[in-house]
Amino acid sequence: MIAETGLIALWIAAAFAALQACLGLAVLKAGGEDLMRAVRPVAIAQAVMTATAFGALLLVFYRTDLSVKLVVDDSATTLPTLYRITGAWGNHEGSMLMWVTILALAGAAVALFERRLPERTLAATIAAQGVIALGFFAFLLFSSNPFARVYDVPAEGNGFNPLLQDPGLAFHPPTLYVGYVGLSVAFSFAVGALLTRDVGPAFARAMRPWVLGAWMFLTLGITAGSYWAYYELGWGGWWFWDPTENASLMPWLAATALLHSVTVLATRDGLRAWTVMLAVVAFSMSMVGTFLVRSGVLTSVHAFALDPRRGAFILVLLALYIGGALALFGARIATVSEGNRFEPVSREGALVVNNLLLSVILAIVLIGTLYPLFTEAMGTKVSVGPPYFNATAGPIALILVAVMAAGPVMRWRRDQIVAVGKRIAIPAVLVIVALAVALWWAPGLHILPLLGLALAAGTAAASVAPLWKRNLRRTPLFTWGMVVAHFGVAVSLAGMASESAFTQETLVAARPGEMVRVGPYAVRFAAIEPVAGENYTAVQATLVATRGTATPITLRPAQRTFDNPPQQTSESAIATRPDGQLYTVVGEPVPGGRWQLRLWWKPFVTLIWLGGTLIAIGGALSLIGRSLPRRRKAEEQSGFARFR
Amino acid sequence: MKAKNQRLVLALIALVALVGAALLAMSALKDRASYFYSPSDALRDHVALGQAVRLGGVVEKGSLRRETDGVTIDFRVTDGIATVAARYTGIVPDLFREGSGVVAEGRFTAPGQFVADTILAKHDENYKPPELAGNGMHQSASLKK
C-alpha cells in the first residue's frame, strides 16, 4: 500500500505542478490578486504531495519491502539501518525523486517567503518552477517509476554498493542536490524577470540569497565528495577530473561567476544581460551534469547500466529548458535596458575579469568532458584526464586567484592603478618572498605547485586586506563572509600545492614485525588478523607509526569483503597531524607471508578540505548577513562596504 | 564610453575569451588526450612508444604473475583477438582479477609491451557502479617515479 500511496502522491503532485504553471502564467497575462492568492497554496500543496511520495520511498526502504523493484535492486535486510534508509537515494530513481522533492520544497519556500519581487515577476517565477518540476515528474512517472512492484517477491535484495556504505556518501548527494536545486530557483527568477522585462537591482537582490545558498551547498558537496574519494577509495588522490566530478564542478564554476555578477547587478546595477545569461548557464550546467551522470553516455569506468531511454528523456528536457530559456533570452534581452557604466580599473572591472576567467575554465572543463563523446561518435575512443585538465585549467585558475586577491581592494566604478598597486603591495611582496623561500628550500619544485604556494601566501594576506583599519565589530557580516571565503581559497590552494609538491610514498610487501619508513615516520607492521563487521568480514592490519619522541600512533587499515553484493573494498587508515596526514592502505597477501602495504605522508593535505569548508562558511556568513534586518542601509546599498 | 558601446566591448571581450578557451582546449586535447586502445587496435595502429595511452580489455585467464618484490605484477590484456603484455607496480584495485575488465593507463615501451601507471578495474557487470558521487572507479595510482 505504501508504494501505491507514494505513486498516487507523485501523480497528484504532478497535477499541482501543472496547475501552478498555468496559474502563474495566468497572473502574468491578466494579473489579479485572487489568482495570485491561489498560486501560493498550490505550490505548497505540490511540495506536500512530493514530500509524501519521498516519505513513502524512505519507508519502503526502511522496511526493506522486497515487493518493490527498487528495494530489491538496491537494498537488503542485512544492511545497517543507516544504509537501509540512505539506499533510497543511492540509485537512479530514488535520487531523481529526491531531486524533485527538494525542488518542490524550494518552490514552496519561494511562494511562502519571497516578498521582494514584484507580483508579476513572482508569478512568472513560480510558473517557471512548475514547468521545471513537471519535466521531472514526467521523467519519474513515464521512465523511472521508483515504486514499481515485482511480482515474484525474492527472499533477499541484491544489496547496496559497499562503496556507498559510508556516512560521508550517505549525506553527500543530498547536499549537492540542494545546490543544484538552488540554481534551478535562480534560473526561474531569471526566466521570470525576462518574462516581465524586470531585470534590475531588486531582482538581483531577490535572487542573490538563492545563488548564495546553492553555491554554499555545492561547495560543501564538492568538498565532501573529494574527501570521500580520498579516504574511501584508498588511492590517495583528492581529485581525478572524472566526468562525475566535473558534473558537480561545472555548475559550481557557473554559480561562482553568477554570485559575483549578481553582486554587481544588486549594488551597481551593471552586467544585467550577463547575469541573466549566467543564471541560465548555471542551471543548464546542473542539468548537463545530471544528463552526463544519469544517461550512461560517457565512456567512463563507471560504465553504467546503460539506459538510452533515460538519456534521451533528459536530453529532451535539457533541450526544452535550455533552448527555451535561451530563446527567451534572445527575444527579450534587447528590451532590457542598459545598466550603469564603469571604468576598466574598478571593482566591476575586476569582477568582469573574474567572470570571464571562470567562464573560460568552465568552457575548458566542458569541452574536456564532452570531447570523448564526440570522438566516440566519430569512431575513435579517447579519454581525457588529469594531464589535459591540469595543463589548461590549472594556470587559468592561478590567474583567477591573483585577480581574486586584487578585486576586493578596488573601488566601485573607478579606481587608479597606482592606488590599487599600493593596496596590494604587501601581498605582492609576500608572493615574491614565498617564491624565493620555496625555491631555496625545495629547488626541484614543479612550476604549478611552486606558483600555487607563493600565490596562496599572497592571497591569504590580500583576502584580509578589506578588514584593514576597520572597526571589526561594526564590519558587516557579508564583508566577513567574503573575507572568510577568499581566505578559504588561499588555504585550499596551499593544501593542493603542498600535497602535489611534497607527498612521499612507500610501497612494499612486508611481513608482520617489519619496519617501513615513509616521510618522517617509522611504521612497524605489528599484526594482521581477520575481523568481522555488521555485514562484511575483513582482514585488518595493525600499524604502529612513530616519529621522533611523539606518542606512537596505531593505524588499522583493512580489506573488507562483502558478500551481498560480492565485492571487496579497502578501508584506508589515516592519522591526521597538524602538519599533514599519514595515509595507510593494506593490499593483498603475497607469497612468503608478506602483505602489500602502501603508505603516504601528505604534508598539509587537510588544508584542501579545511579551505573548502571555510569557503562554504564564508557563503553562510554572507547569506546570514544579507538576510538580517538592514541596520546599515548605506552599506547594504554599496554591496560590500566600500574599501577605505 | 557610452553605455551601449561598453556593453558591446564587454560582449566582444567575452567572445574572444571563450574562443580562446576553446582553442586552448582543442590544442591541449591534441597533445594530452590519451587515446583508448584495445590490444588489437594497439598492435594494428603501431602506437608511438612512450606516448600516454589507455589500454582496455580483459585480464587474460592464467596470465597474472607476481614479481618477487611482492608489489609488481605482470599480466596480459586481451580483447579475444590480440593480447598485450602489461606490467604494473602498486596495489591493484579491489575488482582487479583474472577475467575481469581492466583499463590501464600508461605507455608502450616496445610493441606489445605496456607499462601501466594506473590501473582501473571495471565494476562487476552484474552490479551497478556507484552513480551518485562519482569517483566510482576503483583506482590505484602508481608510484611517482
Side-chain angles (χ1 to χ4, degrees), chain A residues 9-78:
Chain A
L10 209 53
W11 275 103
I12 300 176
F16 275 127
L19 186 60
Q20 178 182 332
C22 296
L23 279 176
L25 288 176
V27 176
L28 182 68
K29 209 87 195 147
E33 296 252 308
D34 297 345
L35 278 178
M36 194 61 207
R37 267 199 293 276
V39 170
R40 294 180 199 269
V42 170
I44 293 162
Q46 188 216 328
V48 170
M49 293 322 287
T50 320
T52 306
F54 188 59
L57 186 72
L58 289 180
L59 202 57
V60 293
F61 265 88
Y62 174 70
R63 293 182 170 180
T64 319
D65 182 347
L66 291 168
S67 66
V68 176
K69 183 171 181 302
L70 201 57
V71 178
V72 177
D73 287 346
D74 273 292
S75 191
T77 52
T78 51

Side-chain angles (χ1 to χ4, degrees), chain A residues 41 87 172 197 216 311 313 347 371-372 406 447 472 590 605 615 621:
Chain A
H172 160 233
R197 299 185 175 83
M216 183 181 83
F313 213 116
R347 176 80 66 81
Y371 185 69
I447 182 84
L472 293 186
V590 180
V605 65
I615 297 170
L621 288 180

Side-chain angles (χ1 to χ4, degrees), chain A residues 229-239 499 503 505 572 574 583 585 598 600 602 605 609, chain B residues 139-141 144:
Chain A
Y230 171 79
Y231 76 77
E232 176 70 20
L233 297 180
W235 56 294
W238 47 272
W239 192 259
E499 196 273 343
T503 293
E505 179 180 28
S572 57
I574 302 174
Y583 186 124
V585 179
R598 182 165 220 161
W600 278 284
K602 294 177 172 289
V605 65
W609 307 290
Chain B
Q139 190 203 23
S140 68
K144 289 203 178 84

